[in-house]
């Protein structure tokens, strides 16, 4: 039986889990420079890839996705309501965007959002992930892939399940992702955005 403190504690735990900076951890493990000091300055997998170390980038990608998936999965297994699970999903995502361990300056949330969606609804997660992969491989812009995938996520959600409580959660995730990529969109329109795999500067 869940106590009155169960949900607040779960939200705090999810936020702290989301705050774990896998870009920083992988950079230390593989002997790389702080990812905030080169490229876009973003502590995320795409920027770590600019170091030229694909293993470090993959470690970052999987770690960021896993923490999103794990927070939601554990909440589901604990028997929390759909609303509580949705709030926990937002908490782990917020932890990645605004991590307490990095003075609230985190990544852009693509991998963590993917992990969250895969746990909330595997089919929805795969549809959104597939969109990102297709756009990323076709155009080689991670930011463009992220924005298009985020834009289509609520559409996929409504197409699959209609408008429900989960639609609001997916919508908030999508808006946050698009907001975090606003400067990338400006660089894209100016022809100044770096492509996936470009070396650090």
């Amino acid at each position: 039986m869940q106590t009155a403190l169960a949900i607040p504690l779960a939200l705090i735990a999810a936020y702290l889990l989301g705050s774990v900076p896998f870009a920083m951890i992988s950079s230390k493990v593989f002997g790389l420079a702080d990812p905030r000091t080169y490229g876009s300055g973003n502590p995320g997998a795409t920027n770590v890839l600019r170091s030229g170390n694909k293993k470090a980038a993959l470690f970052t990608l999987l770690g960021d996705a896993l923490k999103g998936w794990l927070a939601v999965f554990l909440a589901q297994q604990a028997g929390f309501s759909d609303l509580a699970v949705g709030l926990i999903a937002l908490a782990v995502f917020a932890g990645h965007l605004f991590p307490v361990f990095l003075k609230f300056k985190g990544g852009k949330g693509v991998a963590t959002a993917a992990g969250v969606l895969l746990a909330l609804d595997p089919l929805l997660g795969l549809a959104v992930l597939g969109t990102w992969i297709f756009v990323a491989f076709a155009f080689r812009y991670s930011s463009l892939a992220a924005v298009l995938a985020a834009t289509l996520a609520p559409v996929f959600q409504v197409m699959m399940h209609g408008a429900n409580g989960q639609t609001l959660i997916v919508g908030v995730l999508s808006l946050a992702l698009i907001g975090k990529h606003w400067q990338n969109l400006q660089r894209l329109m100016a022809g100044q955005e770096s492509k996936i795999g470009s070396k650090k500067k």
Side-chain angles (χ1 to χ4, degrees):
M1 182 176 178
Q2 296 172 3
T3 66
L5 290 176
I7 293 178
L9 290 176
L11 290 172
I12 293 171
Y15 169 78
L16 292 175
L17 177 60
S19 291
V20 176
F22 278 95
M24 309 298 291
I25 294 172
S26 66
S27 295
K28 288 185 179 296
V29 169
F30 290 94
L32 304 176
D34 187 327
R36 297 171 297 178
T37 63
Y38 61 81
S40 66
N42 178 58
T46 300
N47 201 43
V48 172
L49 184 60
R50 293 190 175 102
S51 71
N53 193 315
K54 294 181 180 179
K55 290 183 179 179
L58 180 60
F59 181 92
T60 303
L61 178 68
L62 294 178
D64 284 344
L66 179 61
K67 65 187 183 184
W69 178 87
L70 185 61
V72 175
F73 174 77
L74 291 177
Q76 292 169 332
Q77 295 303 305
F80 284 109
S81 67
D82 289 344
L83 175 60
V85 170
L87 292 175
I88 289 167
L90 294 179
V92 69
F93 183 65
H96 180 81
L97 299 185
F98 310 105
V100 65
F101 306 124
L102 297 181
K103 298 180 180 180
F104 306 104
K105 296 179 181 179
K108 297 187 176 175
V110 176
T112 302
V116 165
L117 291 179
L118 285 168
L120 282 175
D121 186 330
L123 287 179
L124 174 62
L126 288 173
V128 174
L129 186 59
T131 301
W132 187 95
I133 292 172
F134 174 79
V135 176
F137 273 83
F139 300 99
R140 299 190 60 78
Y141 286 111
S142 176
S143 54
L144 178 62
V147 169
L148 288 179
T151 300
L152 289 175
V155 178
F156 291 149
Q157 160 67 24
V158 172
M159 289 175 61
M160 291 179 180
H161 307 292
N164 55 27
Q166 185 169 286
T167 306
L168 179 60
I169 301 300
V170 174
V172 172
L173 289 173
S174 297
L175 287 174
L177 277 171
I178 293 170
K180 289 290 285 186
H181 285 84
W182 184 249
Q183 291 183 334
N184 300 84
L185 289 174
Q186 292 178 315
R187 288 195 293 269
L188 270 171
M189 291 185 288
Q192 300 173 344
E193 180 74 338
S194 298
K195 290 190 174 183
I196 295 174
S198 61
K199 297 298 183 180
K200 66 182 181 180
K201 298 179 180 179

